[in-house]
Amino acid sequence: MTDKNRATPEKGSPRTLPTTPDPAAAKDLRLLLDGRWASTRDTFRKAISGETGAKLLHDPTLSMDEAREAMLGKLGILAETEMQKGVFAPENGGEGDTGATLTGLEMVGYADLSTMVKGGVQWGLWGGAVDALGTERHSHYVQDIIDLKLLGCFGMTERGHGSDVQNIETTATYDPETKEFIVDSPTPSAEKVYIGNAAKHGRMAAVFAQLYTPGVKESHGVHCLLVPIRDEEGNTLPGVTIGDHGHKGGLLGVDNGTLSFDKVRVPREALLNRFGDVSEDGVYSSPIESRNRRFFTMLGTLIRGRVAVGAAGGAATRASLTIALRYAMRRRQFEGLPGKEKRLIDHRAHRLRLLPRLARSYALAMLQNQMIERLHDQTSAINRGEWDVANPTEEQLRKQRETESRAAAVKVAATAHATDTIQECREACGGAGYMAENRLTIFKADSDVFTTFEGDNTVLLQLVGKEMITAYARDLSELSPIDMVKFSVESISDVLRQRTSIPLTVQSLIDRVSDREDNSLFDAGYQIKIIQEREYNLLKSLARRLKDAKKMEPADAVKLVDKAQDHLIDLAWARIDSMLIEALVEAEEELPKDSPAFPVLEQVRHLFAFSTILKHAGWYQEQNILTGNRTKAARAAVNDLVDSIGPWSGVLVDAFGIPDVLVDVPMLNDSGVDPVK
């Protein structure tokens, strides 16, 4: 007897994968996942084999003070790989290989997120500020920063302003008589908070402050100055107050603290003056006339931080999935056939918990690689003198805005996915998953803050949405009212494809299905088109809601924008989903069709696409884009796909190439699980 209500996958459904997986597929998948900096990944894998890798793991029995002291040894292990040199310009003793350093920090995420954050603060934020915002008069600091002889802080966030950096309250006022800046925290809300390296190890801070010069009432905007906070013996310097945040929800090895300043004097040369300087007699000058653009140029150092956080969050998620899926393939629970217990992976409900999340992790890994490549290429162009940061061309400005928006989107996607997936992995491993020795609770605690630092995710989503609506508006600005009426969803797609540089391989797949009405849900081009359709429709409807804002009084315009905030965030998520499916399809196109990995990755792509579509099934039906029967078919396909992919779970996580010492947790060797083969 058949179930007439059960939907079946549409025509074009791929064959079920063989029940016996081919280990060779992991090799080809790893080549894709490792990306351009595969050699950096291999260097890391070799460097942390055996006892060295074990030293990087967080010991949950350590006290906070012990964990902080252990962190210095861990940073020393990373420094020996010299991966940190990539983030610094060659003229400052670095290697100018941003991609290598970001990839290295991503690999550290497999081991210990505290180490990654501590290293990111030291070399990425603190060191990055000196390297990127300073000039030759600051270059003598860089080698000591690289070699861990000068540990420092990145003093930006304040108690009263959080993500609103442009309105921070700390001041730096120039005194021409002494040729010094007076750094001051004028109010309690001006206190710097959550500052890594501040509570224990930092000796100097890159302090962001409103810059004032004599005779000018208004601030010249936010600038960065180097302010010593401790002497070589670790004693707090006069005028500096340092607080300790103490125990946090995770990241026990990172010494987060507070900083405030009581009219602390520093030499004029302490100003990181690449984009703004003050002469001895107090005259301000800058190669960037626009105060607003100068501010965002200075904040460029944050992009690397966001990319690193997203990368490390993705690595922690993949490590958690590796642990959870290996456990699922060994742990037996409940009887299947009489007298024979089934493994967890043999239960469809378990597969539905983990495998769609594994598919999204694959998409995120591919997108993360693209993001690192983009930022690396842009940074390399700057280092070669091909890109004048102070006076970029219009095309370079466009690329810069897109890079900032994309970095925000990838960070949001990776960290939100980490929060969701690591928790699911913990629950999927039952009581064993709650044991700290099995690492899942450590990953959970340490990654939790990733959704709110280096940019709060909700704020960053609005940045993504605003960049989309701004790009859209720029293209509409020259249209007549009649042209505006004619401007359709198809025109929006043209604008966005031009703005976001969709690869030719992806565009050709979309073009192939654009004029057909009988597209299969399993067609890659159709999957991209359906997911993009949500992005384009949301953009068009948001533009329609906001079109009258410019004609309103400021107060009314603010209310209108606030009412559309949820719409703006939905648009950003739709953009993220489009980016993910595009990245997955691009990766699939790189695989030879005869590779044993090809049909596996193809099914991973199907699983990601259908899971994404089903998450918004109600919207697709409301918009008459997909019928109820088609969404039912997609749901049936998800069930079939997790059944097909299930036996290949081990191959898919092996492809991550995580050193065994980092994921060989005790529960995988318990007497209650099948032995490792």
Side-chain angles (χ1 to χ4, degrees), residues 62 64 107 110 177 190 208 256 264 303 307 352 380 417 460 481 525 531:
L62 295 181
M64 181 183 72
M107 296 298 287
Y110 286 134
E177 292 187 6
F208 286 80
N256 293 93
V264 175
I303 298 178
V307 173
L352 286 169
S380 296
H417 182 62
L460 293 183
I531 290 173

Side-chain angles (χ1 to χ4, degrees), residues 213-502:
T213 55
V216 181
K217 291 184 178 180
E218 290 189 359
S219 161
H220 295 288
V222 175
H223 289 65
C224 187
L225 300 92
L226 302 183
V227 182
I229 59 174
R230 288 186 177 91
D231 61 24
E232 292 189 5
E233 285 71 44
N235 301 307
T236 304
L237 292 173
V240 179
T241 300
I242 301 176
D244 190 335
H245 280 303
H247 277 270
K248 307 182 294 294
L251 299 176
L252 202 60
V254 183
D255 53 322
N256 293 93
T258 64
L259 294 172
S260 59
F261 308 95
D262 183 11
K263 298 178 174 58
V264 175
R265 288 180 173 266
V266 295
R268 183 181 70 90
E269 292 77 16
L271 175 66
L272 295 178
N273 62 328
R274 185 175 183 186
F275 302 115
D277 203 358
V278 176
S279 66
E280 289 191 4
D281 57 356
V283 177
Y284 178 82
S285 62
S286 172
I288 306 175
E289 290 186 13
S290 166
R291 172 176 164 167
N292 198 47
R293 189 159 67 79
R294 186 166 62 240
F295 169 74
F296 285 104
T297 300
M298 290 183 182
L299 257 61
T301 52
L302 288 179
I303 298 178
R304 286 190 303 212
R306 284 173 185 162
V307 173
V309 165
T317 308
R318 295 192 295 274
S320 299
L321 282 164
T322 298
I323 293 168
L325 281 163
R326 286 180 178 174
Y327 187 69
M329 297 186 77
R330 298 171 192 176
R331 179 77 162 96
R332 294 192 175 274
Q333 188 78 278
F334 298 112
E335 191 174 65
L337 295 172
K340 186 176 181 180
E341 286 187 305
K342 296 172 69 173
R343 299 173 304 162
L344 290 175
I345 199 68
D346 296 328
H347 296 274
R348 180 182 277 177
H350 205 82
R351 296 193 293 276
L352 286 169
R353 298 178 76 174
L354 297 179
L355 295 183
R357 290 176 168 87
L358 178 64
R360 191 172 182 88
S361 284
Y362 259 75
L364 278 163
M366 305 305 181
L367 183 59
Q368 186 73 51
N369 284 348
Q370 290 181 0
M371 183 66 244
I372 290 176
E373 287 187 20
R374 176 187 289 260
L375 184 56
H376 172 87
D377 291 342
Q378 186 171 306
T379 304
S380 296
I382 293 170
N383 289 338
R384 292 192 302 268
E386 299 169 4
W387 186 317
D388 184 353
V389 179
N391 295 288
T393 65
E394 281 300 316
E395 177 63 15
Q396 288 170 341
L397 270 177
R398 184 189 70 78
K399 287 183 178 179
Q400 182 180 329
R401 285 191 293 262
E402 187 187 336
T403 297
E404 291 168 355
S405 175
R406 185 168 283 250
V410 176
K411 186 266 183 184
V412 168
T415 57
H417 182 62
T419 295
D420 167 71
T421 299
I422 296 173
Q423 177 64 25
E424 196 67 30
C425 288
R426 205 293 297 159
E427 293 182 23
C429 293
Y434 198 59
M435 301 296 103
E437 65 181 8
N438 292 320
R439 305 203 63 213
L440 295 176
T441 56
I442 296 173
F443 278 133
K444 175 65 178 172
D446 286 350
S447 66
D448 189 51
V449 74
F450 281 22
T451 59
T452 53
F453 81 179
E454 293 301 324
D456 177 276
N457 277 7
T458 302
V459 175
L460 293 183
L461 283 167
Q462 292 174 72
L463 184 156
V464 175
K466 286 175 182 177
E467 169 55 24
M468 292 180 67
I469 201 75
T470 301
Y472 177 52
R474 282 197 295 268
D475 277 82
L476 294 186
S477 61
E478 297 180 0
L479 296 182
S480 68
I482 294 177
D483 291 331
M484 285 283 289
V485 173
K486 295 179 179 178
F487 205 83
S488 63
V489 172
E490 287 73 23
S491 303
I492 292 176
S493 68
D494 291 340
V495 169
L496 288 184
R497 287 167 189 168
Q498 180 184 1
R499 289 288 178 194
T500 56
S501 306
I502 291 180

Side-chain angles (χ1 to χ4, degrees), residues 636-647:
V638 166
N639 286 336
D640 289 346
L641 286 164
V642 297
D643 294 350
S644 176
I645 295 171

Side-chain angles (χ1 to χ4, degrees), residues 30-45 48 56 78 81-87 96-113 116 120 123-124 303-316 318 364-377 656-659 662:
R30 184 179 298 184
L31 287 174
L32 280 180
L33 290 162
D34 277 2
R36 190 194 294 187
W37 286 274
S39 60
T40 298
R41 297 185 190 276
D42 285 337
T43 297
F44 179 84
R45 289 171 181 133
I48 63 163
L56 282 180
L78 298 190
T81 69
E82 297 191 338
M83 72 168 197
Q84 75 278 21
K85 288 187 175 181
V87 80
D97 192 347
T98 302
T101 296
L102 291 173
T103 301
L105 286 172
E106 176 182 341
M107 296 298 287
V108 177
Y110 286 134
D112 180 41
L113 293 178
M116 177 268 156
W123 295 309
I303 298 178
R304 286 190 303 212
R306 284 173 185 162
V307 173
V309 165
R318 295 192 295 274
L364 278 163
M366 305 305 181
L367 183 59
Q368 186 73 51
N369 284 348
Q370 290 181 0
M371 183 66 244
I372 290 176
E373 287 187 20
R374 176 187 289 260
L375 184 56
H376 172 87
D377 291 342
F656 295 146
I658 306 173
L662 304 182

